[in-house]
Amino acid sequence: MGTRESVQKGKRMRTYLVTGGAGFIGSNYIHYMFGKYGDTIRIINVDALTYAGNLENLKAVENLDNYTFVRADICDKEAIARIFAENDIDRVVHFAAESHVDRSIRNPEVFVQTNVLGTAVMLNCAKDAWELPDGSFKAGKKFLHVSTDEVYGSLPEDEDAFFYETTPYDPHSPYSASKASSDMLVKAYMDTYKFPANITNCSNNYGPYQFPEKFIPLMINNALQGRKLPVYGDGKNVRDWLYVEDHAKAIDMVQEQGRLFEVYNIGGHNEKQNIEILHIILETLQEMLPEGDPRKALVSEELITYVEDRKGHDRRYAIAPDKIRSEIGWEPETMFKDGIRKTIAWFFEHEEWMKNVTSGDYQKYYDDMYGNG
Ligand code: NAD
Ligand code: DAU
C-alpha cells in the first residue's frame, strides 16, 4: 500500500485506523462513521479475517475512495508499523480481538496472543509513530481501546449492584482475563508515557452482522430452523444488552468529547435473564413471520433445551453508565423491543449472509460444542 494523501478539497481529512473492522461491532462502527462523517474522514481497516471477520459486512463501503482494507494480523509488528509509516493516522479504534467466551474456555492461548500481545503491538506502533523527541505526543492523536464489562467479574443478583469505572477488576474466563490484561497495558501506557488514550468497557451488544456463535443470533438462527435452543444452566444469568449502533455512537463520542486518559463504561440499562431474552425472541419471531411462512410452524418454546452450564459462568453483568451520561451526554437510545425487531428484520433480509457464515468451520465448532442438536 503506497502513501495516501488524506486531503480533500484542500482540507486534511482525519484518518482512522480501525482494527477488527470486519467483525461484528467493528463493521457496524465503520458504517456508523461513514453515515455520520461521509467523505470528511478516511478509514483504514486492518483485520486478519479470522473465522469472525467477514468482508461481506463491508460490501457497501468497499469501493469508497476514503476506505482502505488491509489484511494483517495485529501481532505482526512490521505490518502494523508500515501502516503507521505510510499514513498519518489521527485516531486508532482498536476492536480486533478474540471475542467469544466459550472458545476461550476451549482454547485460551490464541486469546492471550491476539488480545494481549496484539494490543501491545498496537500501542507500541502508535507510540512510535506519534511520539516527539521530547517524549510528548503529536497534537490531536488519540487511541481508543474497546473493552468489555466482563473485566469486572460477576455481580450478585441484587438489583442495586452495578459496575462502575472504579469497580476492581475480577475477570473469570480466559477471555475476560485477556481483555483485563489488555486494559492494564493501555493504562500502563497512559500512566508511564502519558500516551493519549481512552478505554471503554461495554456490556453485551446485539444487532446486524453478529456471528451466530453468540446467544442472540444463535437463538434466532436455530429457532428459524426448528433446531434445539441450548440454554446454559438455569437460564437465569443476567446480561445488559445494548444495540450495537448505540455502542458505535458512544465510541465516537468518547473519542471526540471524552477526557483523555479516562475510562468510560457503556451499557444499555437493559438487564435481562437469558431465558427472558429467549422468550422475547420467540414471541417476536412469531409476530414478524408472515402467515403461511413455513418457518412459523418451526418456531416454538418446545425447542428450549437446558444444557450443561458454561464453566465459571458469570451470573450477572450490569453497567451504570452514569459517567458517560453526565460528562459526554451519551445515553442508550434503542429500546430492546425495537432493537430486537430491527435485528430480526436484518436476519430475515440476510439469509444468504447467515448461510455463508454457518457453512464450513462453523458447523464443526457447533457440533463440537453442542453435539448435533
Ligand atoms: P468479533 O469476534 O465479531 O470480531 C473480531 C474481529 O477481529 C474479526 O473481524 C477478526 O477477524 C478480527 N481479528 C481477530 N484476531 C485478529 C488479529 N490477530 N489481527 C487482526 N484482526 C483480528 O468481535 P466483536 O463482538 O465485534 O467485538 C469487538 C471488540 O469489542 C472486541 O475487542 C471485544 O472484546 C469488544 N466487546 C465486544 C462486546 C460484544 O458484546 N460483542 C461487548 C463489549 C466489548
Ligand atoms: O459483556 C460483554 C461481552 O458479551 C463481550 O465482551 C463478549 O465479547 C461477548 O461475547 C459477550 O459475552 P457473553 O459470554 O455474555 O455472550 P454470549 O452471547 O456468549 O452469551 C450470553 C449469555 O447467554 C451468557 O450468559 C451465556 C448464555 N448462552 C450463550 C450461548 C452461546 C447460552 O445460554 N447458550 C448459548 O448457546
Side-chain angles (χ1 to χ4, degrees), residues 20 22-26 46-50 52-53 72-75 94-99 114 146-148 175 179 202-205 210 214 247:
F24 162 49
I25 307 177
V46 57
D47 197 299
L49 299 183
T50 68
D73 189 322
I74 54 164
C75 301
H94 177 37
F95 294 98
E98 287 292 334
S99 68
T114 289
V146 180
S147 193
T148 171
Y175 163 71
K179 290 298 288 187
C202 188
S203 63
N204 286 61
N205 285 215
Q210 188 165 29
K214 305 282 166 64
H247 186 189

PDB file of all heavy atoms in Angstrom, residues 20 22-26 46-50 52-53 72-75 94-99 114 146-148 175 179 202-205 210 214 247, ligand 1:
ATOM      1  N   GLY A  20      -9.918  -4.820  13.459  1.00  0.00           N
ATOM      2  CA  GLY A  20     -11.076  -5.716  13.638  1.00  0.00           C
ATOM      3  C   GLY A  20     -12.348  -5.188  13.016  1.00  0.00           C
ATOM      4  O   GLY A  20     -13.455  -5.541  13.432  1.00  0.00           O
ATOM      5  N   ALA A  22     -13.748  -5.924  10.309  1.00  0.00           N
ATOM      6  CA  ALA A  22     -14.575  -6.886   9.563  1.00  0.00           C
ATOM      7  C   ALA A  22     -15.407  -7.752  10.507  1.00  0.00           C
ATOM      8  O   ALA A  22     -16.133  -8.638  10.065  1.00  0.00           O
ATOM      9  CB  ALA A  22     -13.688  -7.765   8.685  1.00  0.00           C
ATOM     10  N   GLY A  23     -15.294  -7.502  11.802  1.00  0.00           N
ATOM     11  CA  GLY A  23     -16.092  -8.251  12.775  1.00  0.00           C
ATOM     12  C   GLY A  23     -17.436  -7.573  13.024  1.00  0.00           C
ATOM     13  O   GLY A  23     -17.819  -6.634  12.312  1.00  0.00           O
ATOM     14  N   PHE A  24     -18.122  -8.048  14.042  1.00  0.00           N
ATOM     15  CA  PHE A  24     -19.488  -7.577  14.325  1.00  0.00           C
ATOM     16  C   PHE A  24     -19.524  -6.080  14.677  1.00  0.00           C
ATOM     17  O   PHE A  24     -20.113  -5.266  13.950  1.00  0.00           O
ATOM     18  CB  PHE A  24     -20.062  -8.449  15.454  1.00  0.00           C
ATOM     19  CG  PHE A  24     -21.247  -7.899  16.176  1.00  0.00           C
ATOM     20  CD1 PHE A  24     -22.353  -7.406  15.491  1.00  0.00           C
ATOM     21  CD2 PHE A  24     -21.282  -7.892  17.572  1.00  0.00           C
ATOM     22  CE1 PHE A  24     -23.461  -6.908  16.173  1.00  0.00           C
ATOM     23  CE2 PHE A  24     -22.374  -7.413  18.261  1.00  0.00           C
ATOM     24  CZ  PHE A  24     -23.461  -6.905  17.568  1.00  0.00           C
ATOM     25  N   ILE A  25     -18.868  -5.693  15.760  1.00  0.00           N
ATOM     26  CA  ILE A  25     -19.004  -4.293  16.204  1.00  0.00           C
ATOM     27  C   ILE A  25     -18.190  -3.374  15.292  1.00  0.00           C
ATOM     28  O   ILE A  25     -18.637  -2.282  14.931  1.00  0.00           O
ATOM     29  CB  ILE A  25     -18.577  -4.117  17.681  1.00  0.00           C
ATOM     30  CG1 ILE A  25     -19.324  -5.114  18.577  1.00  0.00           C
ATOM     31  CG2 ILE A  25     -18.867  -2.685  18.145  1.00  0.00           C
ATOM     32  CD1 ILE A  25     -18.926  -5.069  20.039  1.00  0.00           C
ATOM     33  N   GLY A  26     -17.002  -3.859  14.876  1.00  0.00           N
ATOM     34  CA  GLY A  26     -16.154  -3.034  14.019  1.00  0.00           C
ATOM     35  C   GLY A  26     -16.853  -2.655  12.722  1.00  0.00           C
ATOM     36  O   GLY A  26     -16.774  -1.503  12.276  1.00  0.00           O
ATOM     37  N   VAL A  46      -7.846  -2.587   9.442  1.00  0.00           N
ATOM     38  CA  VAL A  46      -6.884  -3.690   9.442  1.00  0.00           C
ATOM     39  C   VAL A  46      -7.490  -4.883  10.180  1.00  0.00           C
ATOM     40  O   VAL A  46      -7.943  -4.752  11.320  1.00  0.00           O
ATOM     41  CB  VAL A  46      -5.507  -3.268  10.018  1.00  0.00           C
ATOM     42  CG1 VAL A  46      -5.609  -2.711  11.402  1.00  0.00           C
ATOM     43  CG2 VAL A  46      -4.521  -4.422  10.021  1.00  0.00           C
ATOM     44  N   ASP A  47      -7.540  -6.008   9.484  1.00  0.00           N
ATOM     45  CA  ASP A  47      -8.208  -7.179  10.056  1.00  0.00           C
ATOM     46  C   ASP A  47      -7.526  -8.437   9.498  1.00  0.00           C
ATOM     47  O   ASP A  47      -7.185  -8.492   8.318  1.00  0.00           O
ATOM     48  CB  ASP A  47      -9.694  -7.159   9.658  1.00  0.00           C
ATOM     49  CG  ASP A  47     -10.543  -8.087  10.513  1.00  0.00           C
ATOM     50  OD1 ASP A  47     -10.276  -9.319  10.505  1.00  0.00           O
ATOM     51  OD2 ASP A  47     -11.471  -7.613  11.187  1.00  0.00           O
ATOM     52  N   ALA A  48      -7.348  -9.428  10.357  1.00  0.00           N
ATOM     53  CA  ALA A  48      -6.702 -10.679   9.925  1.00  0.00           C
ATOM     54  C   ALA A  48      -7.690 -11.612   9.232  1.00  0.00           C
ATOM     55  O   ALA A  48      -7.288 -12.633   8.673  1.00  0.00           O
ATOM     56  CB  ALA A  48      -6.085 -11.382  11.131  1.00  0.00           C
ATOM     57  N   LEU A  49      -8.980 -11.294   9.299  1.00  0.00           N
ATOM     58  CA  LEU A  49     -10.033 -12.159   8.756  1.00  0.00           C
ATOM     59  C   LEU A  49      -9.953 -13.567   9.345  1.00  0.00           C
ATOM     60  O   LEU A  49      -9.747 -14.553   8.640  1.00  0.00           O
ATOM     61  CB  LEU A  49     -10.002 -12.194   7.223  1.00  0.00           C
ATOM     62  CG  LEU A  49     -10.212 -10.855   6.520  1.00  0.00           C
ATOM     63  CD1 LEU A  49     -10.225 -11.039   5.003  1.00  0.00           C
ATOM     64  CD2 LEU A  49     -11.509 -10.180   6.967  1.00  0.00           C
ATOM     65  N   THR A  50     -10.096 -13.649  10.652  1.00  0.00           N
ATOM     66  CA  THR A  50     -10.255 -14.945  11.318  1.00  0.00           C
ATOM     67  C   THR A  50     -11.661 -15.449  10.984  1.00  0.00           C
ATOM     68  O   THR A  50     -12.397 -14.803  10.225  1.00  0.00           O
ATOM     69  CB  THR A  50     -10.151 -14.790  12.853  1.00  0.00           C
ATOM     70  OG1 THR A  50     -11.302 -14.049  13.304  1.00  0.00           O
ATOM     71  CG2 THR A  50      -8.865 -14.068  13.261  1.00  0.00           C
ATOM     72  N   ALA A  52     -14.169 -14.998  12.478  1.00  0.00           N
ATOM     73  CA  ALA A  52     -15.162 -13.980  12.878  1.00  0.00           C
ATOM     74  C   ALA A  52     -15.164 -12.760  11.966  1.00  0.00           C
ATOM     75  O   ALA A  52     -16.059 -11.920  12.058  1.00  0.00           O
ATOM     76  CB  ALA A  52     -14.901 -13.540  14.318  1.00  0.00           C
ATOM     77  N   GLY A  53     -14.166 -12.657  11.103  1.00  0.00           N
ATOM     78  CA  GLY A  53     -14.078 -11.485  10.229  1.00  0.00           C
ATOM     79  C   GLY A  53     -14.677 -11.797   8.870  1.00  0.00           C
ATOM     80  O   GLY A  53     -14.441 -12.860   8.310  1.00  0.00           O
ATOM     81  N   ALA A  72      -4.124  -7.923   7.762  1.00  0.00           N
ATOM     82  CA  ALA A  72      -2.908  -8.113   8.560  1.00  0.00           C
ATOM     83  C   ALA A  72      -3.306  -8.544   9.966  1.00  0.00           C
ATOM     84  O   ALA A  72      -4.403  -8.247  10.446  1.00  0.00           O
ATOM     85  CB  ALA A  72      -2.096  -6.830   8.624  1.00  0.00           C
ATOM     86  N   ASP A  73      -2.368  -9.227  10.596  1.00  0.00           N
ATOM     87  CA  ASP A  73      -2.552  -9.661  11.980  1.00  0.00           C
ATOM     88  C   ASP A  73      -2.011  -8.557  12.885  1.00  0.00           C
ATOM     89  O   ASP A  73      -0.908  -8.058  12.644  1.00  0.00           O
ATOM     90  CB  ASP A  73      -1.748 -10.962  12.166  1.00  0.00           C
ATOM     91  CG  ASP A  73      -2.015 -11.633  13.495  1.00  0.00           C
ATOM     92  OD1 ASP A  73      -2.170 -10.933  14.506  1.00  0.00           O
ATOM     93  OD2 ASP A  73      -2.065 -12.872  13.508  1.00  0.00           O
ATOM     94  N   ILE A  74      -2.746  -8.189  13.914  1.00  0.00           N
ATOM     95  CA  ILE A  74      -2.264  -7.108  14.790  1.00  0.00           C
ATOM     96  C   ILE A  74      -1.015  -7.527  15.575  1.00  0.00           C
ATOM     97  O   ILE A  74      -0.354  -6.684  16.169  1.00  0.00           O
ATOM     98  CB  ILE A  74      -3.347  -6.572  15.757  1.00  0.00           C
ATOM     99  CG1 ILE A  74      -3.972  -7.703  16.585  1.00  0.00           C
ATOM    100  CG2 ILE A  74      -4.396  -5.759  15.009  1.00  0.00           C
ATOM    101  CD1 ILE A  74      -4.754  -7.218  17.797  1.00  0.00           C
ATOM    102  N   CYS A  75      -0.706  -8.820  15.580  1.00  0.00           N
ATOM    103  CA  CYS A  75       0.531  -9.263  16.247  1.00  0.00           C
ATOM    104  C   CYS A  75       1.753  -9.085  15.346  1.00  0.00           C
ATOM    105  O   CYS A  75       2.889  -9.270  15.803  1.00  0.00           O
ATOM    106  CB  CYS A  75       0.420 -10.732  16.656  1.00  0.00           C
ATOM    107  SG  CYS A  75      -0.946 -11.042  17.768  1.00  0.00           S
ATOM    108  N   HIS A  94      -9.483   0.443  18.437  1.00  0.00           N
ATOM    109  CA  HIS A  94      -8.942  -0.919  18.493  1.00  0.00           C
ATOM    110  C   HIS A  94     -10.010  -1.933  18.954  1.00  0.00           C
ATOM    111  O   HIS A  94     -10.266  -2.096  20.141  1.00  0.00           O
ATOM    112  CB  HIS A  94      -7.750  -0.908  19.452  1.00  0.00           C
ATOM    113  CG  HIS A  94      -7.120  -2.245  19.677  1.00  0.00           C
ATOM    114  ND1 HIS A  94      -6.991  -3.190  18.691  1.00  0.00           N
ATOM    115  CD2 HIS A  94      -6.572  -2.793  20.798  1.00  0.00           C
ATOM    116  CE1 HIS A  94      -6.408  -4.267  19.190  1.00  0.00           C
ATOM    117  NE2 HIS A  94      -6.156  -4.058  20.465  1.00  0.00           N
ATOM    118  N   PHE A  95     -10.631  -2.585  17.949  1.00  0.00           N
ATOM    119  CA  PHE A  95     -11.632  -3.623  18.234  1.00  0.00           C
ATOM    120  C   PHE A  95     -11.040  -5.031  18.163  1.00  0.00           C
ATOM    121  O   PHE A  95     -11.592  -5.953  18.779  1.00  0.00           O
ATOM    122  CB  PHE A  95     -12.746  -3.604  17.161  1.00  0.00           C
ATOM    123  CG  PHE A  95     -13.616  -2.391  17.126  1.00  0.00           C
ATOM    124  CD1 PHE A  95     -13.386  -1.361  16.230  1.00  0.00           C
ATOM    125  CD2 PHE A  95     -14.709  -2.280  17.983  1.00  0.00           C
ATOM    126  CE1 PHE A  95     -14.208  -0.249  16.178  1.00  0.00           C
ATOM    127  CE2 PHE A  95     -15.542  -1.174  17.937  1.00  0.00           C
ATOM    128  CZ  PHE A  95     -15.288  -0.152  17.037  1.00  0.00           C
ATOM    129  N   ALA A  96     -10.009  -5.228  17.336  1.00  0.00           N
ATOM    130  CA  ALA A  96      -9.586  -6.598  16.991  1.00  0.00           C
ATOM    131  C   ALA A  96      -9.323  -7.412  18.245  1.00  0.00           C
ATOM    132  O   ALA A  96      -8.574  -6.998  19.133  1.00  0.00           O
ATOM    133  CB  ALA A  96      -8.337  -6.558  16.116  1.00  0.00           C
ATOM    134  N   ALA A  97      -9.944  -8.571  18.308  1.00  0.00           N
ATOM    135  CA  ALA A  97      -9.788  -9.445  19.476  1.00  0.00           C
ATOM    136  C   ALA A  97     -10.422 -10.786  19.155  1.00  0.00           C
ATOM    137  O   ALA A  97     -11.247 -10.898  18.245  1.00  0.00           O
ATOM    138  CB  ALA A  97     -10.490  -8.843  20.693  1.00  0.00           C
ATOM    139  N   GLU A  98     -10.034 -11.776  19.912  1.00  0.00           N
ATOM    140  CA  GLU A  98     -10.835 -12.998  20.014  1.00  0.00           C
ATOM    141  C   GLU A  98     -11.903 -12.657  21.033  1.00  0.00           C
ATOM    142  O   GLU A  98     -11.596 -12.191  22.135  1.00  0.00           O
ATOM    143  CB  GLU A  98      -9.971 -14.159  20.498  1.00  0.00           C
ATOM    144  CG  GLU A  98      -9.010 -14.678  19.453  1.00  0.00           C
ATOM    145  CD  GLU A  98      -9.702 -15.363  18.278  1.00  0.00           C
ATOM    146  OE1 GLU A  98     -10.827 -15.869  18.459  1.00  0.00           O
ATOM    147  OE2 GLU A  98      -9.125 -15.381  17.179  1.00  0.00           O
ATOM    148  N   SER A  99     -13.178 -12.893  20.685  1.00  0.00           N
ATOM    149  CA  SER A  99     -14.243 -12.293  21.497  1.00  0.00           C
ATOM    150  C   SER A  99     -15.210 -13.284  22.149  1.00  0.00           C
ATOM    151  O   SER A  99     -16.096 -12.861  22.897  1.00  0.00           O
ATOM    152  CB  SER A  99     -15.047 -11.323  20.627  1.00  0.00           C
ATOM    153  OG  SER A  99     -15.778 -12.051  19.646  1.00  0.00           O
ATOM    154  N   THR A 114      -3.701 -12.748  20.653  1.00  0.00           N
ATOM    155  CA  THR A 114      -4.313 -11.586  19.967  1.00  0.00           C
ATOM    156  C   THR A 114      -4.658 -10.469  20.949  1.00  0.00           C
ATOM    157  O   THR A 114      -4.333  -9.303  20.709  1.00  0.00           O
ATOM    158  CB  THR A 114      -5.586 -12.037  19.214  1.00  0.00           C
ATOM    159  OG1 THR A 114      -5.177 -12.821  18.094  1.00  0.00           O
ATOM    160  CG2 THR A 114      -6.407 -10.855  18.736  1.00  0.00           C
ATOM    161  N   VAL A 146     -11.208  -0.690  22.827  1.00  0.00           N
ATOM    162  CA  VAL A 146     -12.587  -1.153  23.036  1.00  0.00           C
ATOM    163  C   VAL A 146     -12.553  -2.385  23.937  1.00  0.00           C
ATOM    164  O   VAL A 146     -12.033  -3.436  23.548  1.00  0.00           O
ATOM    165  CB  VAL A 146     -13.249  -1.508  21.689  1.00  0.00           C
ATOM    166  CG1 VAL A 146     -14.672  -1.990  21.907  1.00  0.00           C
ATOM    167  CG2 VAL A 146     -13.223  -0.305  20.746  1.00  0.00           C
ATOM    168  N   SER A 147     -13.101  -2.253  25.131  1.00  0.00           N
ATOM    169  CA  SER A 147     -13.070  -3.394  26.042  1.00  0.00           C
ATOM    170  C   SER A 147     -14.476  -3.731  26.570  1.00  0.00           C
ATOM    171  O   SER A 147     -15.473  -3.245  26.040  1.00  0.00           O
ATOM    172  CB  SER A 147     -12.068  -3.132  27.175  1.00  0.00           C
ATOM    173  OG  SER A 147     -11.836  -4.337  27.868  1.00  0.00           O
ATOM    174  N   THR A 148     -14.496  -4.551  27.569  1.00  0.00           N
ATOM    175  CA  THR A 148     -15.735  -5.211  27.970  1.00  0.00           C
ATOM    176  C   THR A 148     -16.023  -5.052  29.459  1.00  0.00           C
ATOM    177  O   THR A 148     -15.099  -4.905  30.262  1.00  0.00           O
ATOM    178  CB  THR A 148     -15.618  -6.720  27.631  1.00  0.00           C
ATOM    179  OG1 THR A 148     -16.710  -7.421  28.197  1.00  0.00           O
ATOM    180  CG2 THR A 148     -14.337  -7.333  28.186  1.00  0.00           C
ATOM    181  N   TYR A 175     -11.102 -15.392  28.332  1.00  0.00           N
ATOM    182  CA  TYR A 175     -11.400 -14.206  27.507  1.00  0.00           C
ATOM    183  C   TYR A 175     -11.310 -12.938  28.342  1.00  0.00           C
ATOM    184  O   TYR A 175     -10.597 -11.987  28.000  1.00  0.00           O
ATOM    185  CB  TYR A 175     -12.798 -14.323  26.876  1.00  0.00           C
ATOM    186  CG  TYR A 175     -13.336 -12.997  26.374  1.00  0.00           C
ATOM    187  CD1 TYR A 175     -12.784 -12.383  25.254  1.00  0.00           C
ATOM    188  CD2 TYR A 175     -14.378 -12.337  27.045  1.00  0.00           C
ATOM    189  CE1 TYR A 175     -13.256 -11.146  24.805  1.00  0.00           C
ATOM    190  CE2 TYR A 175     -14.854 -11.115  26.598  1.00  0.00           C
ATOM    191  CZ  TYR A 175     -14.292 -10.519  25.483  1.00  0.00           C
ATOM    192  OH  TYR A 175     -14.757  -9.291  25.047  1.00  0.00           O
ATOM    193  N   LYS A 179      -8.734  -9.704  28.168  1.00  0.00           N
ATOM    194  CA  LYS A 179      -9.166  -8.314  27.955  1.00  0.00           C
ATOM    195  C   LYS A 179      -8.714  -7.442  29.125  1.00  0.00           C
ATOM    196  O   LYS A 179      -8.291  -6.300  28.933  1.00  0.00           O
ATOM    197  CB  LYS A 179     -10.692  -8.231  27.792  1.00  0.00           C
ATOM    198  CG  LYS A 179     -11.243  -8.817  26.516  1.00  0.00           C
ATOM    199  CD  LYS A 179     -10.770  -8.147  25.240  1.00  0.00           C
ATOM    200  CE  LYS A 179     -11.361  -6.768  25.028  1.00  0.00           C
ATOM    201  NZ  LYS A 179     -11.004  -6.225  23.674  1.00  0.00           N
ATOM    202  N   CYS A 202     -17.744  -2.018  27.638  1.00  0.00           N
ATOM    203  CA  CYS A 202     -19.153  -2.060  27.230  1.00  0.00           C
ATOM    204  C   CYS A 202     -19.802  -3.393  27.596  1.00  0.00           C
ATOM    205  O   CYS A 202     -19.143  -4.419  27.731  1.00  0.00           O
ATOM    206  CB  CYS A 202     -19.246  -1.839  25.721  1.00  0.00           C
ATOM    207  SG  CYS A 202     -20.933  -1.655  25.131  1.00  0.00           S
ATOM    208  N   SER A 203     -21.116  -3.332  27.728  1.00  0.00           N
ATOM    209  CA  SER A 203     -21.903  -4.539  28.026  1.00  0.00           C
ATOM    210  C   SER A 203     -22.209  -5.290  26.725  1.00  0.00           C
ATOM    211  O   SER A 203     -21.726  -4.924  25.653  1.00  0.00           O
ATOM    212  CB  SER A 203     -23.191  -4.125  28.732  1.00  0.00           C
ATOM    213  OG  SER A 203     -23.961  -3.318  27.857  1.00  0.00           O
ATOM    214  N   ASN A 204     -23.042  -6.321  26.819  1.00  0.00           N
ATOM    215  CA  ASN A 204     -23.340  -7.196  25.665  1.00  0.00           C
ATOM    216  C   ASN A 204     -24.013  -6.442  24.521  1.00  0.00           C
ATOM    217  O   ASN A 204     -25.059  -5.821  24.726  1.00  0.00           O
ATOM    218  CB  ASN A 204     -24.291  -8.323  26.076  1.00  0.00           C
ATOM    219  CG  ASN A 204     -23.602  -9.376  26.893  1.00  0.00           C
ATOM    220  OD1 ASN A 204     -23.079  -9.090  27.973  1.00  0.00           O
ATOM    221  ND2 ASN A 204     -23.583 -10.596  26.402  1.00  0.00           N
ATOM    222  N   ASN A 205     -23.454  -6.570  23.341  1.00  0.00           N
ATOM    223  CA  ASN A 205     -24.045  -5.955  22.147  1.00  0.00           C
ATOM    224  C   ASN A 205     -24.889  -6.974  21.381  1.00  0.00           C
ATOM    225  O   ASN A 205     -24.614  -8.170  21.424  1.00  0.00           O
ATOM    226  CB  ASN A 205     -22.948  -5.508  21.187  1.00  0.00           C
ATOM    227  CG  ASN A 205     -22.216  -4.251  21.616  1.00  0.00           C
ATOM    228  OD1 ASN A 205     -21.818  -3.453  20.792  1.00  0.00           O
ATOM    229  ND2 ASN A 205     -22.020  -4.049  22.911  1.00  0.00           N
ATOM    230  N   GLN A 210     -23.935  -9.897  13.666  1.00  0.00           N
ATOM    231  CA  GLN A 210     -23.329 -10.621  14.803  1.00  0.00           C
ATOM    232  C   GLN A 210     -23.197 -12.091  14.451  1.00  0.00           C
ATOM    233  O   GLN A 210     -24.136 -12.735  13.971  1.00  0.00           O
ATOM    234  CB  GLN A 210     -24.163 -10.446  16.077  1.00  0.00           C
ATOM    235  CG  GLN A 210     -23.436 -11.033  17.294  1.00  0.00           C
ATOM    236  CD  GLN A 210     -24.007 -10.598  18.629  1.00  0.00           C
ATOM    237  OE1 GLN A 210     -25.208 -10.319  18.730  1.00  0.00           O
ATOM    238  NE2 GLN A 210     -23.177 -10.558  19.649  1.00  0.00           N
ATOM    239  N   LYS A 214     -22.839 -16.393  19.124  1.00  0.00           N
ATOM    240  CA  LYS A 214     -23.280 -15.601  20.275  1.00  0.00           C
ATOM    241  C   LYS A 214     -24.776 -15.830  20.502  1.00  0.00           C
ATOM    242  O   LYS A 214     -25.507 -16.172  19.580  1.00  0.00           O
ATOM    243  CB  LYS A 214     -22.991 -14.110  20.043  1.00  0.00           C
ATOM    244  CG  LYS A 214     -21.526 -13.798  19.724  1.00  0.00           C
ATOM    245  CD  LYS A 214     -20.635 -13.806  20.943  1.00  0.00           C
ATOM    246  CE  LYS A 214     -19.146 -13.838  20.628  1.00  0.00           C
ATOM    247  NZ  LYS A 214     -18.612 -12.700  19.941  1.00  0.00           N
ATOM    248  N   HIS A 247     -23.614   1.560  20.675  1.00  0.00           N
ATOM    249  CA  HIS A 247     -22.214   1.400  21.095  1.00  0.00           C
ATOM    250  C   HIS A 247     -21.299   2.180  20.149  1.00  0.00           C
ATOM    251  O   HIS A 247     -20.398   2.908  20.596  1.00  0.00           O
ATOM    252  CB  HIS A 247     -21.853  -0.091  21.108  1.00  0.00           C
ATOM    253  CG  HIS A 247     -20.493  -0.397  21.668  1.00  0.00           C
ATOM    254  ND1 HIS A 247     -19.929  -1.643  21.584  1.00  0.00           N
ATOM    255  CD2 HIS A 247     -19.569   0.370  22.293  1.00  0.00           C
ATOM    256  CE1 HIS A 247     -18.724  -1.618  22.154  1.00  0.00           C
ATOM    257  NE2 HIS A 247     -18.487  -0.410  22.584  1.00  0.00           N
TER     258      HIS A 247
HETATM  259  P1  NAD B   1     -15.837 -10.266  16.594  1.00  0.00           P
HETATM  260  O1  NAD B   1     -15.285 -11.576  17.074  1.00  0.00           O
HETATM  261  O2  NAD B   1     -17.133 -10.230  15.880  1.00  0.00           O
HETATM  262  O3  NAD B   1     -14.761  -9.556  15.634  1.00  0.00           O
HETATM  263  C1  NAD B   1     -13.396  -9.549  15.905  1.00  0.00           C
HETATM  264  C2  NAD B   1     -12.665  -9.087  14.650  1.00  0.00           C
HETATM  265  O4  NAD B   1     -11.258  -9.042  14.962  1.00  0.00           O
HETATM  266  C3  NAD B   1     -12.833 -10.030  13.452  1.00  0.00           C
HETATM  267  O5  NAD B   1     -13.059  -9.296  12.281  1.00  0.00           O
HETATM  268  C4  NAD B   1     -11.497 -10.763  13.383  1.00  0.00           C
HETATM  269  O6  NAD B   1     -11.136 -11.177  12.075  1.00  0.00           O
HETATM  270  C5  NAD B   1     -10.544  -9.692  13.914  1.00  0.00           C
HETATM  271  N1  NAD B   1      -9.323 -10.273  14.497  1.00  0.00           N
HETATM  272  C6  NAD B   1      -9.239 -11.299  15.392  1.00  0.00           C
HETATM  273  N2  NAD B   1      -7.949 -11.567  15.657  1.00  0.00           N
HETATM  274  C7  NAD B   1      -7.214 -10.679  14.934  1.00  0.00           C
HETATM  275  C8  NAD B   1      -5.832 -10.447  14.796  1.00  0.00           C
HETATM  276  N3  NAD B   1      -4.927 -11.190  15.462  1.00  0.00           N
HETATM  277  N4  NAD B   1      -5.420  -9.445  13.987  1.00  0.00           N
HETATM  278  C9  NAD B   1      -6.310  -8.692  13.304  1.00  0.00           C
HETATM  279  N5  NAD B   1      -7.636  -8.887  13.371  1.00  0.00           N
HETATM  280  C10 NAD B   1      -8.078  -9.868  14.185  1.00  0.00           C
HETATM  281  O7  NAD B   1     -15.841  -9.337  17.871  1.00  0.00           O
HETATM  282  P2  NAD B   1     -16.885  -8.200  18.308  1.00  0.00           P
HETATM  283  O8  NAD B   1     -18.006  -8.833  19.026  1.00  0.00           O
HETATM  284  O9  NAD B   1     -17.135  -7.317  17.156  1.00  0.00           O
HETATM  285  O10 NAD B   1     -16.001  -7.427  19.400  1.00  0.00           O
HETATM  286  C11 NAD B   1     -15.133  -6.371  19.009  1.00  0.00           C
HETATM  287  C12 NAD B   1     -14.432  -5.833  20.241  1.00  0.00           C
HETATM  288  O11 NAD B   1     -15.394  -5.360  21.171  1.00  0.00           O
HETATM  289  C13 NAD B   1     -13.603  -6.878  20.995  1.00  0.00           C
HETATM  290  O12 NAD B   1     -12.423  -6.247  21.439  1.00  0.00           O
HETATM  291  C14 NAD B   1     -14.484  -7.275  22.164  1.00  0.00           C
HETATM  292  O13 NAD B   1     -13.695  -7.670  23.260  1.00  0.00           O
HETATM  293  C15 NAD B   1     -15.199  -5.973  22.436  1.00  0.00           C
HETATM  294  N6  NAD B   1     -16.541  -6.096  23.051  1.00  0.00           N
HETATM  295  C16 NAD B   1     -17.481  -6.915  22.485  1.00  0.00           C
HETATM  296  C17 NAD B   1     -18.753  -6.950  23.038  1.00  0.00           C
HETATM  297  C18 NAD B   1     -19.848  -7.817  22.439  1.00  0.00           C
HETATM  298  O14 NAD B   1     -20.920  -7.910  23.020  1.00  0.00           O
HETATM  299  N7  NAD B   1     -19.653  -8.429  21.284  1.00  0.00           N
HETATM  300  C19 NAD B   1     -19.061  -6.160  24.161  1.00  0.00           C
HETATM  301  C20 NAD B   1     -18.054  -5.367  24.709  1.00  0.00           C
HETATM  302  C21 NAD B   1     -16.803  -5.315  24.125  1.00  0.00           C
END
